[in-house]
Amino acid sequence: MIQEVVRVPLAVGEDLVIQKRRIGSGGPRLCVVTGTHGDELEGQYVAWRLNRLLQDNLSHLHGTVDIYPALNPLGISTMTRGMPLCDLDMNRTFPGGRDGAMSELIAARLTEDITGADLCIDIHASNIFLREIPQVRINVNTADKLVPLTKYLNMNLLWIHAAATVLESTLAHSLNAAGTPTLVVEMGIGIRITRAFGEQLLTGILSLMAHLGMWDAPVAPIAPPIVSSDGAVSFVNANFPGMFFPAVEHGVRVEQGQKLGVIADPLTGGIRETLHSPAAGLLFTLREYPVVYEGSLIARVLGGSV
Amino acid sequence: MREEVLFTLDTPYRQPLAVKGWFFGTPGRKTLAVMGALRGNEIQQMYLCSQLIQHLCALEQAGGLSQDCGILVIPCANQFSMNVGRRFWAADNTDINRMFPGYDAGETTQRIAARIFAALQGYTYGVHVTSLYLPGSCLPHLRIMKTGYQTPETARAFGLPYIALREPHPYDTTTLNYNWQIWNTETFSLYTPATERIDAPAALQGVEAVLRFLQSRELCRCGVGPGEPSRIFAEETLCNVKPTAGGLLVHQVSLGSQVWRSQPLAEVLDPCSGAVRQTLRAPVDGRVFFVHEACLINGYDVALRILPDKAGESQAQQEQQEQQA
Ligand SMILES: [Zn+2]
């Protein structure tokens, strides 16, 4: 059943409609949401695959799965990360409010609709600049409740990050604060679809559903994530502008001091900077978009004092 | 007057971003810093700062600045975006005013914010000439974040008609205003009605407000008049007027108009047939404080904000009492 979650009239002959597909009935309820950032599409593949798999195997489903493929339809339709017109990052508008502007009203309706689910999985795809291995990110304040669930999700990495006031406006924070456990997945890269990552997450979602008693068909084997806190993550940022040409593949193990790539100057043929790994470990983030400025993030390595 | 490059940031294929500051008064004195455009569309904010620089130059030459006074003005920190017609940092669309206090080993706009913040450190008073996030224009006012360190009474010395107190939202905690205040600078955000276009009288009103403030602290002698008595109100006092329909928005009142409860304020028209879809009426007696400027409006977007005549007063008094307590 396709349901409307929120409908808002746009100025000229069109409504903004956020829809979900509801499959199954009764409890428990799982919400799979994606498309908050209009330039992140990895979740589209997962939503499509999960949808088909569930509708073809309804007898194995016990409970309700709500799939929200596009929380930001205007953004997805225009390759815009935020909400077009107001230039707002939708993931800084939660939990919203009924008295606020349109963006806040939408956020409030979405929060209401998802609140009360037994679990929510919010799928992100990094941004157009950086490629990420499949990972779950959770706020340290929610670790007690969420860490036990993450081992079913078949992701490579669990990053337990510090709390920051600014992140209190995210969908995940608002839902967790309202008592609805929410896991944020980051994987792949913006405006692309990495099918292998999508399949990996799909297996994870089914195994999590099996754990919640919602799914009784056999599920492919899963692997638990490497668990990390902020302390074990090393950042590599550019110190010079230019073009980044990597010397390593994404997702591999690198040694301390290993060359990660160069920042090249095509005008002179020179090399502005050679970047090395600050630690031995897993290269879980790697820059894909070549144009860099001073400060542009190049890589993240999970290593050091794990 | 001393003009100085505060920092530069190299870019591929473009000239380095050089952020300049203009210093007045006694070197080493850190009395007042004024920050202008952080966003590429803040032309009015840059213009206001440029006019302030003109006035301060003249004042300094005429010996009108006190020996105790040291002023820094940074008119623009984002020509990188301004020159290509983009609002946010043109390389990654991030907002420098959501990156404070900054991080000098972080992403590009975090580094820019860190360098701006370093240049602005240690001043007794700070003014951020800024623009609204909502698309539209508002009456000239000062906005103060309620960080627990705020001192709204000080703001009266600017002689602007309105002072809005804002309860910080989570996303406000990364703005310049919030962080500047936490780092011990008494900070005021100065709003004028325009952003992308120049409103010269409003800019002059802002310049005079800054000079008046300095004069009230005996930091300059410039002969600027006493200004207006300020009404201090909590931002929540403003009543949002929102259509339930989308369409063409045709205002029937203008910014600053006094309106009466149930008076028609604007119509939302069907953009193709011209039929009236909705008439927006004033929910209270008050003054039009904000108007949505674009011709088109979506359902539930804020068309106008009204500052109520009475309810706000009592709330403002309450605010003052809280301050004194
Ligand atoms: Zn995202």
Side-chain angles (χ1 to χ4, degrees):
Chain A
M1 184 178 24
I2 308 295
Q3 296 180 345
E4 263 182 29
V5 181
V6 51
R7 176 184 285 264
V8 183
L10 294 177
V12 189
E14 184 189 355
D15 287 350
L16 165 60
V17 186
I18 300 174
Q19 301 178 103
K20 69 174 179 186
R21 166 103 192 262
R22 167 160 288 186
I23 307 176
S25 59
R29 177 162 71 111
L30 168 70
C31 294
V32 177
V33 308
T34 191
T36 311
H37 292 133
D39 59 353
E40 300 178 16
L41 304 176
E42 301 277 10
Q44 298 302 310
Y45 181 74
V46 180
W48 180 70
R49 285 280 287 127
L50 181 64
N51 221 321
R52 290 172 71 83
L53 199 132
L54 296 180
Q55 75 190 9
D56 293 345
N57 298 278
L58 277 177
S59 60
H60 294 290
L61 175 64
H62 309 284
T64 305
V65 177
D66 283 333
I67 300 173
Y68 305 66
L71 294 196
N72 178 9
L74 297 182
I76 293 177
S77 67
T78 53
M79 215 182 99
T80 308
R81 184 171 181 78
M83 298 178 81
L85 294 175
C86 54
D87 248 331
L88 271 183
D89 181 340
M90 193 176 178
N91 215 19
R92 297 287 180 277
T93 62
F94 291 96
R98 287 192 161 268
D99 298 328
M102 182 177 94
S103 54
E104 294 192 46
L105 179 80
I106 292 171
R109 272 298 298 136
L110 288 169
T111 309
E112 257 170 49
D113 201 71
I114 301 167
T115 299
D118 296 275
L119 181 68
C120 175
I121 300 171
D122 181 14
I123 307 171
H124 288 256
S126 181
N127 53 37
I128 62 170
F129 304 108
L130 303 167
R131 185 179 286 281
E132 298 283 354
I133 65 166
Q135 58 199 272
V136 197
R137 290 188 191 165
I138 64 176
N139 177 322
V140 68
N141 296 336
T142 56
D144 288 349
K145 195 167 179 188
L146 299 182
V147 168
L149 294 168
T150 59
K151 65 172 182 271
Y152 298 99
L153 209 50
N154 202 30
M155 297 284 92
N156 300 42
L157 170 66
L158 164 59
W159 182 355
I160 303 170
H161 61 78
T165 310
V166 66
L167 297 179
E168 288 172 14
S169 325
T170 63
L171 173 65
H173 182 95
S174 303
L175 290 173
N176 279 312
T180 299
T182 301
L183 300 173
V184 174
V185 168
E186 284 281 1
M187 62 179 199
I189 185 163
I191 67 170
R192 295 281 180 272
I193 281 175
T194 314
R195 285 189 187 215
F197 289 172
E199 294 295 339
Q200 184 180 337
L201 178 57
L202 184 69
T203 304
I205 293 173
L206 292 173
S207 113
L208 198 44
M209 285 172 61
H211 168 71
L212 295 173
M214 299 179 69
W215 186 249
D216 65 12
V219 180
I222 53 157
I226 302 169
V227 181
S228 172
S229 62
D230 287 334
V233 176
S234 309
F235 290 70
V236 182
N237 294 75
N239 292 302
F240 294 90
M243 300 297 142
F244 173 63
F245 300 141
V248 286
E249 292 292 319
H250 174 232
V252 300
R253 218 196 122 72
V254 292
E255 297 308 318
Q256 183 173 9
Q258 186 177 335
K259 182 172 157 184
L260 298 178
V262 296
I263 296 179
D265 180 355
L267 178 66
T268 62
I271 289 173
R272 304 283 317 266
E273 185 177 13
T274 302
L275 297 156
H276 300 278
S277 179
L282 175 66
L283 183 71
F284 71 94
T285 306
L286 182 63
R287 189 172 188 88
E288 176 100 4
Y289 189 74
V291 182
V292 300
Y293 289 78
E294 182 188 338
S296 294
L297 186 62
I298 299 294
R300 280 187 282 236
V301 179
L302 178 66
S305 52
V306 181
Chain B
M1 189 268 286
R2 190 160 48 88
E3 183 182 331
E4 200 179 285
V5 174
L6 301 171
F7 66 88
T8 61
L9 184 109
D10 279 350
T11 66
Y13 301 135
R14 282 179 65 178
Q15 301 290 290
L17 168 76
V19 174
K20 282 194 200 173
W22 276 257
F23 292 88
F24 300 89
T26 307
R29 291 271 178 190
K30 292 189 165 191
T31 315
L32 169 73
V34 180
M35 182 68 226
L38 291 174
R39 298 176 182 143
N41 65 341
E42 291 180 336
I43 313 296
Q44 165 81 350
Q45 288 67 26
M46 178 172 67
Y47 174 74
L48 192 157
C49 288
S50 74
Q51 298 309 296
L52 180 62
I53 286 171
Q54 292 293 316
H55 277 81
L56 288 172
C57 276
L59 206 58
E60 193 174 49
Q61 272 171 9
L65 281 185
S66 144
Q67 286 296 308
D68 294 332
C69 184
I71 301 167
L72 165 64
V73 184
I74 308 177
C76 178
N78 199 352
Q79 58 267 43
F80 180 79
S81 306
M82 209 173 259
N83 285 331
V84 293
R86 296 275 294 273
R87 185 181 183 199
F88 297 137
W89 183 248
D92 62 10
N93 210 40
T94 53
D95 184 359
I96 297 172
N97 201 29
R98 291 287 182 276
M99 293 292 164
F100 287 94
Y103 176 44
D104 209 37
E107 281 273 5
T108 311
T109 43
Q110 290 178 314
R111 292 185 186 203
I112 294 170
R115 287 166 201 182
I116 294 168
F117 204 53
L120 296 175
Q121 277 309 292
Y123 284 84
T124 309
Y125 305 108
V127 173
H128 181 199
V129 188
T130 187
S131 62
L132 294 175
Y133 217 95
L134 279 177
S137 47
C138 58
L139 288 180
H141 69 284
L142 288 175
R143 188 202 248 181
I144 301 173
M145 292 272 191
K146 291 167 73 178
T147 55
Y149 301 93
Q150 75 278 8
T151 49
E153 285 308 311
T154 313
R156 289 190 189 276
F158 286 87
L160 285 171
Y162 302 103
I163 298 166
L165 296 178
R166 179 174 175 85
E167 198 67 61
H169 293 243
Y171 52 80
D172 287 317
T173 59
T174 52
T175 60
L176 172 59
N177 184 313
Y178 185 92
N179 286 281
W180 215 357
Q181 214 178 106
I182 299 280
W183 262 260
N184 282 326
T185 290
E186 269 190 59
T187 310
F188 312 95
S189 288
L190 172 58
Y191 290 84
T192 84
T195 303
E196 287 167 28
R197 63 186 169 84
I198 286 176
D199 179 337
L204 182 62
Q205 188 184 13
V207 167
E208 287 183 346
V210 173
L211 297 176
R212 186 180 296 122
F213 179 78
L214 290 171
Q215 187 166 258
S216 77
R217 300 244 159 328
E218 293 176 345
L219 296 166
C220 83
R221 291 183 312 277
C222 59
V224 65
E228 295 181 57
S230 306
R231 173 172 166 191
I232 301 179
F233 65 92
E235 216 176 43
E236 313 82 270
T237 314
L238 292 168
C239 292
N240 287 338
V241 180
K242 304 190 290 178
T244 52
L248 275 176
L249 180 68
V250 181
H251 288 291
Q252 290 165 331
V253 294
S254 41
L255 188 63
S257 300
Q258 176 70 39
V259 297
W260 288 272
R261 189 184 161 85
S262 85
Q263 177 184 340
L265 303 175
E267 283 182 336
V268 179
L269 307 183
D270 181 307
C272 296
S273 75
V276 177
R277 283 186 170 156
Q278 199 173 358
T279 301
L280 303 178
R281 292 176 184 278
V284 288
D285 294 353
R287 198 168 286 280
V288 178
F289 196 80
F290 166 87
V291 291
H292 175 94
E293 265 192 344
C295 308
L296 297 177
I297 189 160
N298 299 316
Y300 306 102
D301 264 342
V302 178
L304 305 102
R305 298 176 116 182
I306 309 296
L307 177 62
D309 282 339
K310 297 186 194 98
E313 270 334 321
S314 59
Q315 205 152 357
Q317 282 158 5
Q318 220 177 331
E319 292 291 345
Q320 276 171 264
Q321 281 159 6
E322 269 175 42
Q323 273 311 302
Q324 286 155 4

